[in-house]
Amino acid sequence: MSYTLDPELVPVLAAMAAQAADAPARERGDWRALREAGNLGQAAMAALVPPVTGIKTTTHFATALDGTRIELRWYTTGERTAPGPAVLYAHGGGMVLGDLDAYDTLLSWYVAHSRVPFLSVGYRLAPEATGTTLAEDVFAGLTWLVGHADEMGVDTGRIAVMGDSGGGAPAAATAILARDRQVPLARQILVYPMLDDRNQTPDPAREPFLTWTYDNNHTAWNAVLGDTLGTEAVSPIAAPARLRDFTGLAPAYIDTGDLDIFRDEDISYAARLAAAGVPVELHVHPGVPHGWDRIAPQSQPARRAFTDRVRVLAAL
């Protein structure tokens, strides 16, 4: 099978490849090097988001299961007069990198265009935190939002959880926890989510187009799961693709690129949701790799994806 890169992404990936050629080689399993490079990449992507004005932010804190304070950042237009929807967000970064600051511009953009406030969760990263801890941190953010709904102007029946890339795992797991703990959740919005630790077999046909590689994937999942990686001991609260019972989960929106290593696990997750009677909207965008919307936000494929996401957000 052969794949074709969308023409608008050709110069972008060529520039990224040229830049990577000058960077020192990164060994498989070196999460520190992955974090360092990834944080630089996230800062560069943040600079590509069109600036927005009029978004107000405030800082709050949730309490994790072990008593740790989890930073929360609330984004709003400040114009709400009656309780309405809200989105709980888990940032990307393979669960080993990224932070709230790197997502300020993107989440401000979503809020400005959807008019829906966002609560971004500063969940702890692997390997400092492992296993189900990351999802439990995000769920602590959901618990905080529900508990403070009145003062935040939030209708608890209209809360969605959203996450992209590595944030897709704790976001999807939060939807599972919400079902199991009887916490209302209106929707789960998963943007090219990282869901399955067993996705470790390279696809040579897609290799030339990868922005998140199989080596990156092994490094990240190994940081999260350690010796349990790939075994039956992995909880679906750490790797949601391990879930067996999908009944009763929140309706889902999932999008992914055809040249993304997460494509097949995302399609499978959507299919199992649908088979369990959960409403699903799935988009597989042709000719684009992981994170195409962030590395080329003005491209037509990115514009289509952002338009669909804003539509779903505005309908909460």
Side-chain angles (χ1 to χ4, degrees), residues 52-130:
V52 297
T53 59
I55 303 302
K56 301 177 181 179
T57 62
T58 53
T59 298
H60 307 273
F61 292 92
T63 302
L65 284 177
D66 62 2
T68 299
R69 289 210 313 169
I70 304 300
E71 184 176 356
L72 309 172
R73 191 168 297 172
W74 178 249
Y75 299 79
T76 179
T77 59
E79 60 189 23
R80 178 166 289 178
T81 58
V87 175
L88 184 78
Y89 201 93
H91 67 77
M95 294 182 279
V96 296
L97 62 98
D99 57 26
L100 297 180
D101 292 344
Y103 273 70
D104 265 337
T105 52
L106 178 63
L107 299 196
S108 294
W109 187 93
Y110 277 131
V111 172
H113 287 77
S114 69
R115 318 312 287 181
V116 175
F118 273 52
L119 185 69
S120 188
V121 184
Y123 62 93
R124 286 170 285 179
L125 301 174
E128 293 88 350
T130 57

XYZ file of all heavy atoms in Angstrom, residues 52-130:
605
model
N -5.739 35.527 19.691
C -7.110 35.925 19.988
C -7.079 36.860 21.191
O -6.135 36.842 21.994
C -8.016 34.709 20.290
C -8.126 33.804 19.080
C -7.486 33.923 21.478
N -8.105 37.676 21.294
C -8.203 38.602 22.426
C -9.526 38.389 23.135
O -10.435 37.747 22.615
C -8.101 40.059 21.950
O -9.164 40.317 21.014
C -6.761 40.332 21.283
N -9.614 38.934 24.334
C -10.874 38.886 25.064
C -11.098 37.648 25.889
O -12.188 37.451 26.431
N -10.083 36.772 26.009
C -10.224 35.558 26.810
C -9.640 35.814 28.196
O -8.511 36.276 28.337
C -9.514 34.367 26.148
C -10.057 34.132 24.741
C -9.684 33.112 27.007
C -11.547 33.869 24.674
N -10.420 35.499 29.213
C -9.981 35.673 30.594
C -9.562 34.315 31.160
O -10.218 33.300 30.904
C -11.117 36.255 31.431
C -11.627 37.600 30.918
C -12.812 38.092 31.744
C -13.333 39.429 31.206
N -14.508 39.911 31.990
N -8.463 34.309 31.914
C -7.996 33.066 32.532
C -7.842 33.246 34.040
O -7.454 34.315 34.511
C -6.648 32.614 31.948
O -5.651 33.595 32.222
C -6.751 32.398 30.448
N -8.175 32.196 34.768
C -7.963 32.164 36.215
C -7.397 30.803 36.589
O -7.625 29.803 35.890
C -9.260 32.413 37.005
O -10.280 31.491 36.558
C -9.754 33.840 36.808
N -6.671 30.765 37.683
C -6.024 29.536 38.136
C -6.752 28.975 39.354
O -7.124 29.727 40.264
C -4.551 29.791 38.483
O -3.864 30.227 37.305
C -3.885 28.532 39.012
N -6.930 27.656 39.340
C -7.578 26.957 40.445
C -6.784 25.684 40.708
O -5.855 25.351 39.978
C -9.031 26.631 40.091
C -9.811 27.830 39.632
N -10.458 28.675 40.498
C -10.028 28.334 38.381
C -11.053 29.641 39.819
N -10.801 29.460 38.533
N -7.170 24.954 41.743
C -6.468 23.715 42.074
C -7.457 22.634 42.499
O -8.374 22.887 43.284
C -5.453 23.942 43.195
C -4.300 24.811 42.784
C -4.357 26.184 42.977
C -3.180 24.259 42.184
C -3.306 27.001 42.585
C -2.120 25.063 41.792
C -2.183 26.436 41.986
N -7.238 21.450 41.937
C -7.979 20.269 42.370
C -7.061 19.432 43.259
O -5.840 19.622 43.261
C -8.431 19.451 41.158
N -7.633 18.498 43.975
C -6.854 17.616 44.848
C -6.879 16.205 44.283
O -7.950 15.626 44.082
C -7.413 17.618 46.279
O -7.405 18.956 46.786
C -6.562 16.739 47.183
N -5.690 15.661 44.010
C -5.574 14.309 43.465
C -5.830 13.269 44.546
O -5.939 13.584 45.738
C -4.188 14.113 42.868
N -5.895 12.007 44.146
C -6.167 10.922 45.088
C -5.149 10.873 46.221
O -5.491 10.547 47.363
C -6.164 9.580 44.342
C -7.383 9.248 43.488
C -7.168 7.924 42.782
C -8.646 9.194 44.334
N -3.886 11.195 45.908
C -2.847 11.123 46.928
C -2.638 12.451 47.649
O -1.677 12.607 48.405
C -1.527 10.650 46.314
C -1.001 11.612 45.246
O -1.632 12.657 44.998
O 0.064 11.307 44.663
N -3.545 13.405 47.424
C -3.467 14.684 48.098
C -2.684 15.752 47.358
O -2.629 16.906 47.796
N -2.055 15.405 46.227
C -1.300 16.373 45.434
C -2.236 17.425 44.847
O -3.342 17.101 44.398
C -0.549 15.661 44.296
O 0.369 14.719 44.858
C 0.212 16.652 43.434
N -1.779 18.674 44.822
C -2.560 19.740 44.193
C -2.324 19.720 42.692
O -1.180 19.727 42.228
C -2.177 21.109 44.759
C -2.631 21.329 46.182
C -2.915 22.787 46.492
N -1.891 23.707 46.038
C -2.053 25.031 46.015
N -3.185 25.577 46.406
N -1.073 25.816 45.605
N -3.414 19.697 41.929
C -3.356 19.676 40.473
C -3.804 21.045 39.954
O -4.930 21.475 40.231
C -4.265 18.566 39.890
C -3.899 17.196 40.488
C -4.169 18.545 38.367
C -2.484 16.761 40.234
N -2.933 21.708 39.221
C -3.275 23.039 38.723
C -4.324 22.952 37.615
O -4.249 22.092 36.724
C -2.033 23.757 38.195
C -2.323 25.198 37.757
C -1.092 25.962 37.314
O 0.028 25.404 37.418
O -1.250 27.105 36.849
N -5.288 23.853 37.666
C -6.345 23.963 36.672
C -6.331 25.386 36.123
O -6.132 26.341 36.875
C -7.718 23.683 37.299
C -7.874 22.402 38.113
C -9.232 22.394 38.806
C -7.717 21.174 37.228
N -6.555 25.533 34.829
C -6.611 26.861 34.236
C -7.948 27.023 33.502
O -8.266 26.250 32.602
C -5.443 27.076 33.286
C -5.275 28.524 32.835
C -3.947 28.736 32.130
N -2.824 28.483 33.041
C -1.547 28.452 32.654
N -1.235 28.665 31.392
N -0.589 28.219 33.534
N -8.711 28.018 33.903
C -10.055 28.277 33.386
C -9.994 29.376 32.332
O -9.438 30.444 32.567
C -10.951 28.671 34.537
C -12.368 29.028 34.228
C -12.950 30.255 34.304
C -13.418 28.127 33.831
N -14.287 30.188 33.982
C -14.601 28.893 33.681
C -13.468 26.756 33.585
C -15.820 28.325 33.299
C -14.684 26.195 33.204
C -15.837 26.976 33.067
N -10.559 29.095 31.164
C -10.597 30.037 30.047
C -12.053 30.384 29.747
O -12.875 29.484 29.551
C -9.989 29.417 28.781
C -8.547 29.009 28.892
C -8.190 27.815 29.527
C -7.527 29.787 28.356
C -6.862 27.415 29.622
C -6.194 29.400 28.440
C -5.874 28.217 29.072
O -4.553 27.823 29.173
N -12.351 31.664 29.674
C -13.731 32.061 29.407
C -13.777 33.412 28.711
O -12.847 34.224 28.841
C -14.546 32.123 30.711
O -15.880 32.538 30.439
C -13.912 33.094 31.701
N -14.859 33.639 27.979
C -15.080 34.958 27.379
C -15.654 35.929 28.397
O -15.705 37.137 28.144
C -16.049 34.854 26.196
O -17.295 34.311 26.654
C -15.485 33.954 25.097
N -16.139 35.404 29.520
C -16.684 36.241 30.575
C -18.050 36.806 30.297
O -18.521 37.684 31.012
N -18.730 36.262 29.291
C -20.010 36.842 28.889
C -21.213 35.995 29.285
O -22.340 36.301 28.931
C -20.018 37.048 27.369
C -19.821 35.764 26.578
C -19.615 35.983 25.088
O -19.202 37.087 24.714
O -19.870 35.050 24.308
N -21.005 34.932 30.035
C -22.098 34.017 30.374
C -23.019 34.631 31.438
O -22.551 35.185 32.442
C -21.524 32.696 30.862
C -22.578 31.682 31.282
C -21.978 30.302 31.425
N -21.632 29.742 30.130
C -21.046 28.560 29.965
N -20.726 27.825 31.011
N -20.769 28.105 28.763
N -24.330 34.521 31.209
C -25.315 35.033 32.162
C -26.179 33.933 32.759
O -26.940 34.172 33.689
C -26.234 36.074 31.476
O -26.875 35.454 30.349
C -25.422 37.277 31.012
N -26.083 32.728 32.199
C -26.840 31.585 32.703
C -25.957 30.350 32.597
O -25.019 30.315 31.795
C -28.125 31.396 31.895
N -26.200 29.320 33.409
C -25.381 28.113 33.332
C -25.357 27.530 31.923
O -26.383 27.476 31.240
C -26.069 27.158 34.316
C -26.762 28.059 35.285
C -27.226 29.231 34.468
N -24.182 27.114 31.485
C -24.024 26.567 30.144
C -22.954 25.492 30.109
O -22.494 25.014 31.157
N -22.523 25.098 28.917
C -21.569 23.995 28.784
C -20.155 24.394 29.190
O -19.833 25.577 29.333
C -21.640 23.663 27.289
C -22.001 24.968 26.642
C -22.951 25.634 27.606
N -19.312 23.403 29.361
C -17.895 23.611 29.636
C -17.128 22.388 29.151
O -17.698 21.301 28.994
C -17.641 23.842 31.124
N -15.834 22.578 28.911
C -14.970 21.498 28.433
C -13.792 21.329 29.386
O -13.131 22.307 29.749
C -14.443 21.793 27.010
C -13.441 20.725 26.577
C -15.598 21.868 26.019
N -13.552 20.101 29.789
C -12.371 19.739 30.564
C -11.318 19.263 29.582
O -11.587 18.365 28.776
C -12.724 18.625 31.547
C -11.633 18.188 32.509
C -11.513 19.190 33.655
C -11.935 16.791 33.053
N -10.100 19.841 29.603
C -9.099 19.549 28.570
C -7.844 18.920 29.148
O -7.300 19.391 30.146
C -8.713 20.827 27.829
C -8.115 20.546 26.464
C -8.925 20.525 25.330
C -6.762 20.283 26.305
C -8.390 20.241 24.083
C -6.221 20.001 25.062
C -7.040 19.983 23.960
O -6.510 19.697 22.716
N -7.360 17.857 28.459
C -6.086 17.211 28.781
C -5.132 17.440 27.616
O -5.366 16.967 26.505
C -6.287 15.711 29.016
N -4.048 18.175 27.874
C -3.129 18.554 26.799
C -2.347 17.362 26.256
O -2.177 16.333 26.912
C -2.156 19.631 27.296
C -1.194 19.149 28.352
N -0.090 18.370 28.065
C -1.152 19.344 29.696
C 0.580 18.100 29.170
N -0.053 18.669 30.179
N -1.848 17.533 25.037
C -1.046 16.508 24.396
C 0.396 16.529 24.859
O 0.825 17.386 25.621
N 1.150 15.537 24.341
C 2.559 15.435 24.692
C 2.997 14.015 25.020
O 3.996 13.811 25.706
N 2.240 13.036 24.527
C 2.648 11.649 24.744
C 2.658 11.214 26.192
O 3.261 10.198 26.539
N 2.021 11.996 27.055
C 1.962 11.734 28.495
C 3.309 11.889 29.179
O 3.443 11.619 30.368
C 1.361 10.346 28.792
C -0.108 10.228 28.389
S -0.846 8.624 28.787
C -0.246 7.641 27.392
N 4.326 12.355 28.442
C 5.650 12.560 29.034
C 6.122 14.015 28.926
O 7.170 14.356 29.490
C 6.713 11.639 28.388
C 6.402 10.179 28.645
C 6.848 11.906 26.894
N 5.378 14.860 28.227
C 5.808 16.242 28.036
C 4.591 17.143 27.885
O 3.456 16.692 27.857
C 6.723 16.352 26.814
C 6.132 15.979 25.443
C 5.670 17.216 24.679
C 7.154 15.208 24.619
N 4.868 18.456 27.794
C 3.787 19.426 27.643
C 3.360 20.000 28.983
O 3.656 19.439 30.043
N 2.668 21.139 28.927
C 2.152 21.767 30.136
C 1.020 22.721 29.779
O 0.663 22.872 28.600
C 3.260 22.497 30.899
C 3.974 23.562 30.072
O 3.371 24.108 29.128
O 5.140 23.860 30.380
N 0.468 23.370 30.788
C -0.658 24.273 30.561
C -0.261 25.450 29.675
O -1.027 25.857 28.799
C -1.187 24.781 31.900
C -1.763 23.744 32.867
C -2.247 24.430 34.141
C -2.897 22.962 32.232
N 0.918 25.997 29.899
C 1.329 27.178 29.149
C 1.379 26.924 27.649
O 1.019 27.792 26.851
C 2.706 27.659 29.621
C 2.686 28.225 31.034
O 1.577 28.533 31.538
O 3.764 28.341 31.633
N 1.837 25.746 27.252
C 1.978 25.429 25.833
C 0.642 25.408 25.102
O 0.607 25.507 23.870
C 2.684 24.087 25.659
N -0.448 25.286 25.857
C -1.776 25.204 25.248
C -2.605 26.474 25.429
O -3.768 26.504 25.035
C -2.516 23.979 25.792
C -2.197 22.729 24.995
C -0.935 22.154 25.062
C -3.134 22.158 24.139
C -0.615 21.036 24.312
C -2.831 21.042 23.383
C -1.565 20.484 23.468
O -1.267 19.378 22.710
N -2.021 27.498 26.004
C -2.764 28.744 26.222
C -3.389 29.292 24.940
O -4.575 29.629 24.906
C -1.849 29.817 26.822
C -1.942 29.868 28.339
O -2.965 29.420 28.894
O -0.999 30.369 28.959
N -2.592 29.386 23.894
C -3.103 29.997 22.663
C -4.153 29.121 21.988
O -5.171 29.631 21.500
C -1.956 30.283 21.684
O -1.174 29.092 21.501
C -1.058 31.397 22.199
N -3.919 27.813 21.964
C -4.882 26.914 21.311
C -6.218 26.918 22.042
O -7.286 27.048 21.409
C -4.326 25.498 21.248
C -5.270 24.462 20.623
C -5.562 24.789 19.165
C -4.695 23.049 20.753
N -6.189 26.793 23.358
C -7.450 26.738 24.097
C -8.162 28.086 24.063
O -9.399 28.136 24.003
C -7.211 26.280 25.534
C -6.594 24.886 25.699
C -6.760 24.396 27.132
C -7.183 23.878 24.725
N -7.406 29.162 24.073
C -8.026 30.483 23.920
C -8.734 30.577 22.575
O -9.833 31.149 22.477
C -6.969 31.584 24.046
O -6.428 31.616 25.349
N -8.123 30.014 21.555
C -8.733 30.022 20.219
C -10.041 29.219 20.224
O -11.057 29.673 19.681
C -7.757 29.442 19.193
C -8.218 29.570 17.773
C -7.935 30.577 16.893
C -9.069 28.646 17.055
N -8.550 30.347 15.685
C -9.250 29.171 15.760
C -9.685 27.445 17.397
C -10.029 28.523 14.799
C -10.471 26.808 16.443
C -10.632 27.343 15.166
N -10.020 28.023 20.816
C -11.240 27.213 20.887
C -12.352 27.962 21.626
O -13.512 27.960 21.196
C -10.965 25.892 21.609
C -10.373 24.793 20.767
C -9.249 24.089 21.202
C -10.944 24.417 19.552
C -8.703 23.055 20.440
C -10.406 23.391 18.787
C -9.286 22.715 19.230
O -8.755 21.695 18.479
N -12.009 28.593 22.731
C -13.013 29.311 23.516
C -13.567 30.496 22.735
O -14.783 30.738 22.709
C -12.410 29.773 24.860
C -13.375 30.685 25.603
C -12.054 28.566 25.719
N -12.687 31.227 22.063
C -13.125 32.402 21.303
C -14.074 32.017 20.177
O -15.027 32.749 19.876
C -11.914 33.140 20.743
N -13.828 30.866 19.547
C -14.639 30.481 18.385
C -15.875 29.666 18.737
O -16.850 29.666 17.980
C -13.775 29.723 17.380
C -12.811 30.598 16.643
N -11.644 31.064 17.193
C -12.870 31.128 15.392
C -11.005 31.827 16.328
N -11.732 31.896 15.228
N -15.856 28.974 19.877
C -17.019 28.173 20.264
C -17.885 28.872 21.297
O -19.051 28.516 21.473
C -16.568 26.824 20.831
O -15.924 26.990 22.084
N -17.299 29.842 22.003
C -17.945 30.548 23.128
C -18.207 29.616 24.299
O -19.046 29.902 25.166
C -19.247 31.243 22.710
C -19.221 31.965 21.374
C -18.031 32.859 21.204
N -18.094 34.094 22.003
C -17.153 35.033 21.978
N -16.059 34.875 21.227
N -17.286 36.114 22.722
N -17.488 28.502 24.358
C -17.610 27.540 25.452
C -16.350 27.632 26.314
O -15.238 27.535 25.790
C -17.773 26.101 24.925
C -17.787 25.095 26.074
C -19.047 25.985 24.097
N -16.478 27.821 27.620
C -15.289 27.888 28.478
C -14.594 26.535 28.612
O -15.235 25.485 28.531
C -15.839 28.369 29.818
C -17.279 28.012 29.799
C -17.716 28.062 28.376
N -13.278 26.591 28.820
C -12.446 25.399 28.967
C -11.770 25.405 30.328
O -11.363 26.462 30.825
C -11.352 25.370 27.898
C -11.734 24.736 26.595
C -12.882 25.131 25.905
C -10.937 23.755 26.028
C -13.214 24.564 24.692
C -11.262 23.177 24.811
C -12.414 23.578 24.130
N -11.609 24.213 30.902
C -10.805 24.026 32.106
C -9.672 23.076 31.746
O -9.897 21.890 31.515
C -11.636 23.455 33.250
C -10.900 23.329 34.590
C -10.615 24.718 35.179
C -11.716 22.500 35.582
N -8.449 23.598 31.668
C -7.283 22.789 31.308
C -6.665 22.202 32.573
O -6.494 22.908 33.570
C -6.266 23.663 30.576
O -5.211 22.887 30.043
N -6.320 20.919 32.521
C -5.832 20.200 33.705
C -4.324 19.964 33.595
O -3.858 19.336 32.637
C -6.552 18.845 33.862
C -6.097 18.156 35.148
C -8.059 19.037 33.869
N -3.583 20.427 34.578
C -2.140 20.196 34.622
C -1.811 18.858 35.255
O -1.140 18.797 36.292
N -2.264 17.792 34.620
C -2.034 16.454 35.166
C -0.535 16.130 35.194
O 0.253 16.645 34.411
C -2.806 15.399 34.358
C -2.401 15.276 32.904
C -1.443 14.359 32.496
C -2.997 16.073 31.917
C -1.067 14.235 31.165
C -2.636 15.960 30.585
C -1.674 15.042 30.217
O -1.294 14.934 28.894
N -0.153 15.252 36.128
C 1.250 14.870 36.250
C 1.671 13.975 35.087
O 0.852 13.248 34.518
C 1.471 14.167 37.588
C 1.462 15.120 38.760
C 1.427 14.379 40.083
N 0.098 13.822 40.347
C -0.200 13.113 41.429
N 0.740 12.847 42.336
N -1.433 12.663 41.621
N 2.941 14.048 34.730
C 3.461 13.349 33.567
C 4.283 12.128 33.972
O 4.820 12.050 35.083
C 4.340 14.291 32.748
C 3.666 15.563 32.223
C 4.699 16.468 31.564
C 2.534 15.223 31.251
N 4.394 11.193 33.032
C 5.264 10.034 33.214
C 6.701 10.438 32.852
O 6.908 11.312 32.013
C 4.787 8.895 32.324
N 7.696 9.785 33.439
C 7.595 8.670 34.379
C 7.476 9.088 35.841
O 7.432 8.216 36.714
C 8.904 7.924 34.148
C 9.880 9.030 33.845
C 9.098 10.026 33.024
N 7.429 10.400 36.121
C 7.264 10.820 37.511
C 5.928 10.314 38.077
O 5.830 9.988 39.259
C 7.337 12.340 37.621
C 8.710 12.924 37.307
C 8.912 13.223 35.838
O 8.064 12.819 35.012
O 9.919 13.875 35.510
N 4.908 10.273 37.225
C 3.627 9.651 37.561
C 3.385 8.530 36.561
O 3.741 8.666 35.384
C 2.498 10.669 37.506
N 2.809 7.448 37.002
C 2.674 6.293 36.116
C 1.276 5.687 36.189
O 0.465 6.037 37.038
C 3.703 5.202 36.484
O 3.516 4.827 37.858
C 5.124 5.699 36.284
